[in-house]
Amino acid sequence: MSTNCLIAATFLLGAVNAHAASQTMDKIKSTGTVTMGVRESSIPMSYTTGDSRFDGYHVEVCRMILADVKDKLGLSTLRINYQPVTSQNRVPLVQNGTVDIECGTTTNNTARAKDVGFANTLYVEEVRIAVKANSGITSIAQLAGKKVATTTGTTSVQLLRKHEKANGVNFDEVFGKDHADSFLLLESGRADAFVMDGSILAGNIANSKNPKDYKIVGEVLATEPIAIMVPKNDPEFKAAVNAAIAKIVTNGNMPKLWNKWFLGPIPPKNIVVGLELSPATKNAWANLNDKPAEDYNKK
Amino acid sequence: MFLDLGVFCKNTLDGEAVDHCFSALFGLAQNSDPSYLDWLMKAWGWTLAVAGLGLIIALFLGVVMGTLRTLPITTSLNRWLIRISTTWVELFRNIPILVQVFLWYHVIPSFVLPLKSLPSYWLVSIALGFFTSARIAEQVRAGIQALPSGQTAAATALGLTTAQSYRYVILPMALRIVIPPLTSESMNLIKNSSVAFAVSVPELTLFAMQAQEETSKGVEIYLAVTFLYALSAFAVNRVMTLIEKRSRIPGFIVSNDASLAH
């Protein structure tokens, strides 16, 4: 009897799952709207250009993806609601269905993959070192005994700790409350270097008073795949997103998007981020995959 | 909702479990990597150090400035001392504490160069101490002014100078009266010390923000940090209550039960 119950329950669960497989697509089709999670200040990946408008590399990719989804569902119009998210709430908001597709700067890792799904990676972040151009520092080994700034609540803090332990190089760590504070530490001479994601370093340098006074130097300390986040257990929606991504890549649009957001002047202030395309990102385009960060750092 | 307290026994480098939770701190396991519990204790130590240093500065300056504000306007020196202490109070209690911390860390050292070599926890303690001293000064002033004017008159009649009447008559009475609000200020100072994370002091708030990102165990981490803040503030409360009881003069201040006063 209990076995029968179990079998029945399994079938029921299977049925529920089968239905859940297209939950996001059903919702988009029936309401004609979709909610995109965006970041407010992650230049140039995803940021606000004022007046509740959002733009950026990942936001533009997501708009292309959603245009494909719209065609696939046979909708004539698809309204996009932009929902600003933070590092703290982005995973729960995708999990509970408030956000259908998150287009920010989320690292794809195994811990998060338990709660949400990730589309194929289109941007591989590299943790780098920013220093004053006249400091003469060119590698992490030269930072021994120097003050190294990084931002509280980021993976870079743990990365520096691991590096210190592994190589016996001792830094004097100083922590900024946010990226702007960490950059101020470098600017005001309270730190000799700022260790952080390359795009954040490039963005802060581009925004500074004299961008020429700073440069990004040295080896890549870590690589992390940054991916578009989608609800878990919705293979149909994820497949549609990945199909759209594959189409953008095969059409040869990715280098154009890169040039637009990372090398050209971007709205609203026409600053130039100036981050060259890395071999790791190029490789991700050539071999589309949704591998988590853990796979990147194995080597 | 299950709490996974095992997170505190994890290594801060690779997230593996460690043999002894307090491995690094008490040297139970030689050369082993620190656990999150070790880090939490270290962070607590920083919170207490910053708050303790700030409290010493705040109590000293608060009593001095509060006393100066009540000086009789008899000489031009007194008039200047009153002006200085009034400016002090209005300056430091009207600027938000986080702004003051930033001023002490980023702005003032670029004008006063020797401050650049001062470690950041000193600068935060100064900021916290000055901010709280302005508030304590007002309480001390209130305490002094609450004394019946006959006290000062009697001191003068005895032939005491102004300094002597403050030393032997006014302050000993006034400071006893203001112990309850001083207790609140001291407890506030512990909680306000959480702004120290903004200028790179590795205290409890910084630990919470960093460790919850690394372990994804925000609930457990924040619960532990909340508990330690509450415990620290409550310990201050108990010490102050003890001082209040010990220093009480029977029959002077009418008080039914001091422990209910907070």
Side-chain angles (χ1 to χ4, degrees):
Chain A
M1 186 59 192
S2 67
T3 327
N4 282 344
C5 269
L6 256 177
I7 292 168
T10 317
F11 272 110
L12 252 171
L13 272 177
V16 171
N17 271 340
H19 180 73
S22 55
Q23 216 174 33
T24 314
M25 295 292 254
D26 286 351
K27 192 171 89 184
I28 295 172
K29 188 166 186 172
S30 64
T31 59
T33 57
V34 62
T35 305
M36 188 197 291
V38 285
R39 298 299 294 254
E40 297 207 294
S41 59
S42 297
I43 297 171
M45 297 291 284
S46 178
Y47 63 98
T48 175
T49 53
D51 279 347
S52 307
R53 281 194 303 263
F54 293 87
D55 223 332
Y57 172 84
H58 254 170
V59 175
E60 189 170 357
V61 169
C62 275
R63 277 202 285 260
M64 292 174 168
I65 292 170
L66 292 173
D68 270 20
V69 169
K70 183 190 83 175
D71 294 343
K72 195 169 181 198
L73 292 170
L75 293 167
S76 55
T77 54
L78 178 61
R79 207 183 119 74
I80 301 175
N81 291 329
Y82 294 93
Q83 168 71 51
V85 297
T86 66
S87 299
Q88 279 77 40
N89 68 18
R90 58 190 168 183
V91 171
L93 286 179
V94 170
Q95 230 179 336
N96 72 16
T98 308
V99 165
D100 300 310
I101 182 164
E102 194 257 3
C103 312
T105 50
T106 307
T107 301
N108 175 353
N109 64 28
T110 42
R112 288 183 184 139
K114 282 180 202 148
D115 302 322
V116 290
F118 286 98
N120 287 337
T121 305
L122 287 175
Y123 176 67
V124 180
E125 187 65 271
E126 297 183 324
V127 177
R128 304 284 303 271
I129 311 163
V131 293
K132 286 232 170 102
N134 58 12
S135 66
I137 296 170
T138 52
S139 82
I140 192 160
Q142 281 171 277
L143 290 176
K146 293 260 168 62
K147 288 203 158 106
V148 180
T150 186
T151 308
T152 309
T154 63
T155 45
S156 299
V157 180
Q158 199 175 17
L159 185 73
L160 278 180
R161 220 158 56 212
K162 281 182 191 164
H163 192 91
E164 245 174 314
K165 166 90 180 171
N167 300 323
V169 186
N170 271 310
F171 320 116
D172 195 357
E173 286 158 14
V174 284
F175 303 104
K177 168 169 71 64
D178 49 40
H179 299 315
D181 273 357
S182 300
F183 192 76
L184 182 62
L185 291 171
L186 175 66
E187 201 176 15
S188 63
R190 282 209 176 256
D192 302 295
F194 177 15
V195 171
M196 189 45 58
D197 297 355
S199 66
I200 292 167
L201 294 180
N204 273 292
I205 291 174
N207 251 331
S208 70
K209 269 175 276 170
N210 295 308
K212 285 202 183 76
D213 289 355
Y214 309 93
K215 58 181 180 186
I216 296 175
V217 296
E219 50 274 62
V220 172
L221 302 181
T223 47
E224 284 190 349
I226 307 292
I228 291 164
M229 199 158 45
V230 292
K232 200 175 164 61
N233 297 327
D234 197 340
E236 198 184 321
F237 183 59
K238 183 172 163 171
V241 169
N242 277 339
I245 286 175
K247 208 173 94 186
I248 301 168
V249 172
T250 41
N251 286 349
N253 282 326
M254 289 317 297
K256 284 180 213 156
L257 282 168
W258 188 274
N259 289 341
K260 178 177 172 186
W261 292 105
F262 287 90
L263 297 172
I266 54 169
K269 288 196 287 182
N270 285 325
I271 58 160
V272 178
V273 171
L275 188 69
E276 294 293 333
L277 176 59
S278 69
T281 301
K282 215 172 179 176
N283 184 48
W285 296 347
N287 310 292
L288 287 175
N289 68 79
D290 64 350
K291 282 185 199 155
E294 284 79 357
D295 285 7
Y296 279 74
N297 294 317
K298 244 184 250 162
K299 278 180 192 162
Chain B
M1 172 101 217
F2 293 103
L3 290 181
D4 177 16
L5 293 175
V7 64
F8 291 107
C9 293
K10 280 184 180 157
N11 182 324
T12 58
L13 287 169
D14 49 21
E16 299 292 319
V18 289
D19 302 337
H20 302 280
C21 263
F22 265 127
S23 52
L25 205 63
F26 293 145
L28 281 174
Q30 246 71 42
N31 293 326
S32 100
D33 295 322
S35 67
Y36 281 98
L37 189 62
D38 293 323
W39 185 7
L40 175 69
M41 289 298 130
K42 223 184 220 172
W44 191 25
W46 274 111
T47 290
L48 296 180
V50 167
L53 201 56
L55 189 60
I56 293 169
I57 298 173
L59 284 175
F60 176 73
L61 286 173
V63 172
V64 170
M65 292 298 167
T67 309
L68 291 183
R69 284 200 82 178
T70 62
L71 285 178
I73 315 173
T74 46
T75 61
S76 66
L77 173 69
N78 279 7
R79 205 166 287 136
W80 274 107
L81 288 174
I82 293 168
R83 275 187 206 141
I84 290 170
S85 54
T86 307
T87 312
W88 179 277
V89 167
E90 297 309 340
L91 184 67
F92 288 107
R93 73 170 172 183
N94 285 316
I95 305 171
I97 180 65
L98 186 61
V99 176
Q100 289 196 34
V101 166
F102 273 110
L103 285 176
W104 280 102
Y105 190 66
H106 286 295
V107 184
I108 298 173
S110 52
F111 298 111
V112 189
L113 293 174
L115 283 178
K116 257 200 171 139
S117 54
L118 218 55
S120 56
Y121 74 91
W122 261 102
L123 295 172
V124 177
S125 297
I126 293 175
L128 276 170
F130 283 16
F131 175 78
T132 311
S133 79
R135 302 169 55 94
I136 290 180
E138 281 303 88
Q139 289 157 6
V140 170
R141 181 168 75 105
I144 291 172
Q145 289 176 343
L147 287 177
S149 59
Q151 297 265 340
T152 324
T156 315
L158 279 171
L160 298 181
T161 62
T162 307
Q164 283 172 328
S165 50
Y166 270 100
R167 165 70 184 83
Y168 295 108
V169 179
I170 302 171
L171 282 178
M173 300 312 270
L175 290 181
R176 282 183 173 85
I177 301 175
V178 297
I179 289 179
L182 277 186
T183 307
S184 305
E185 280 309 323
S186 311
M187 290 164 74
N188 270 343
L189 201 142
I190 295 215
K191 291 174 274 175
N192 283 343
S193 74
S194 65
V195 295
F197 96 92
V199 293
S200 191
V201 177
E203 47 74 73
L204 283 174
T205 306
L206 191 147
F207 164 80
M209 298 183 76
Q210 184 57 37
Q212 73 101 16
E213 174 70 24
E214 287 175 17
T215 59
S216 307
K217 298 271 183 256
V219 176
E220 291 83 352
I221 301 271
Y222 275 106
L223 273 178
V225 167
T226 309
F227 173 73
L228 290 183
Y229 271 120
L231 183 69
S232 316
F234 189 65
V236 168
N237 172 305
R238 292 292 90 190
V239 170
M240 292 296 273
T241 308
L242 195 71
I243 293 174
E244 192 182 345
K245 275 187 182 153
R246 286 289 171 88
S247 64
R248 190 183 301 151
I249 300 173
F252 180 66
I253 300 167
V254 182
S255 165
N256 300 324
D257 184 6
S259 67
L260 290 174
H262 304 298

